[in-house]
Amino acid sequence: MAEAPGDRGARKRPSTSDDAVAAPGDRSARERILNAAGELFAEHGFNATPTSRIAERAEVPKGLIHYYFRRKQDLLTALVERLPEDLVESDRVAVRGDVAGSLRRLIGELDARLESSPLLSHLLWREADTHVAVRQALQRRFGTVVELIRRVIELALPPGPVSCDVDTAAVLLARVVNHRHSVARHGAHDDELDREISFIAKALELGVGKPRKVKPA
């Protein structure tokens, strides 16, 4: 049957997911994609979650995912960047002469940040062993926590010459916090933390005001 003259060129070809990519720019769509990816990765794991399922949950065409995130791995990298900052104002939690109390307040702040994004934290600790981007992000955060603890200890120690090893104490406590956060997704509670803080604080305070021992040459 011959086409009517007015029909030629007027027909629209069926819409595809790739057509949806032609006019991106909806930032809310990108956020929906990330939200859906975070939920599904946490529920089923990164490798077991196809992008088609992410698109379905985000209610976007699959092609839009590949517009914003060229590789599936890029979704994971973007989720890492969503982690809440571990920056805590050390002056706000540190009290001179109260090392244990200052450290408890600092760790309370760090715990609150973990609890503000439990699903994301669950996902990242779960994927750290198999994805370099996640592992590197968590390693950077560990370094940040070490530095925070070190600063709080220095501000909270009693006045006087310091002969205690503040750097080692900061690393040890950061490892305790790291372990606490890594198992939080299993509902584990670290009842020993308070005792460990008290032990470290007492050891540090005993080293204040005493001359540093110098090893003989």
Side-chain angles (χ1 to χ4, degrees):
M1 183 175 181
E3 291 185 5
D7 290 342
R8 188 168 298 171
R11 261 183 211 172
K12 296 180 180 177
R13 61 192 176 93
S15 155
T16 67
S17 60
D18 290 335
D19 294 331
V21 179
D26 180 2
R27 300 299 294 176
S28 65
R30 185 180 187 278
E31 289 302 303
R32 291 203 307 275
I33 290 168
L34 280 176
N35 289 338
E39 292 169 1
L40 289 167
F41 291 164
E43 291 170 14
H44 307 290
F46 177 84
N47 293 329
T49 303
T51 53
S52 57
R53 188 176 297 175
I54 296 171
E56 181 180 354
R57 181 166 294 193
E59 298 182 341
V60 300
K62 183 178 176 181
L64 200 57
I65 293 179
H66 297 296
Y67 174 84
Y68 286 118
F69 307 98
R70 187 171 60 85
R71 303 170 305 161
K72 186 179 170 186
Q73 175 75 31
D74 294 336
L75 280 164
L76 203 53
T77 302
L79 286 168
V80 168
E81 293 170 355
R82 275 184 154 194
L83 276 170
E85 291 290 337
D86 275 336
L87 298 177
V88 177
E89 294 178 17
S90 49
D91 293 342
R92 186 163 55 83
V93 297
V95 174
R96 180 69 72 182
D98 183 14
V99 178
S102 299
L103 291 174
R104 289 189 186 100
R105 283 187 289 276
L106 172 60
I107 292 171
E109 294 271 358
L110 296 175
D111 286 349
R113 282 159 173 72
L114 177 80
E115 291 165 5
S116 70
S117 55
L119 185 145
L120 182 55
S121 299
H122 168 94
L123 158 67
L124 296 178
W125 283 108
R126 177 177 178 171
E127 301 295 340
D129 291 338
T130 53
H131 294 90
V132 175
V134 175
R135 187 160 58 250
Q136 289 175 340
L138 292 176
Q139 287 170 348
R140 287 193 298 271
R141 292 173 72 78
F142 176 77
T144 300
V145 171
V146 171
E147 180 60 19
L148 276 171
I149 293 172
R150 186 186 66 78
R151 288 205 306 267
V152 168
I153 289 172
E154 289 176 342
L155 288 170
L157 281 172
V162 177
S163 62
C164 51
D165 192 343
V166 173
D167 291 337
T168 299
V171 170
L172 288 173
L173 188 53
R175 286 176 178 165
V176 172
V177 174
N178 210 41
H179 173 73
R180 173 186 175 87
H181 288 181
S182 70
V183 299
R185 66 187 189 277
H186 302 304
H189 298 286
D190 189 356
D191 295 328
E192 297 297 318
L193 178 62
D194 192 68
R195 188 180 305 175
E196 289 160 344
I197 290 174
S198 296
F199 178 81
I200 290 173
K202 185 175 181 180
L204 287 166
E205 288 165 348
L206 287 173
V208 175
K210 296 182 179 179
R212 183 186 294 272
K213 292 183 179 179
V214 180
K215 293 182 180 179

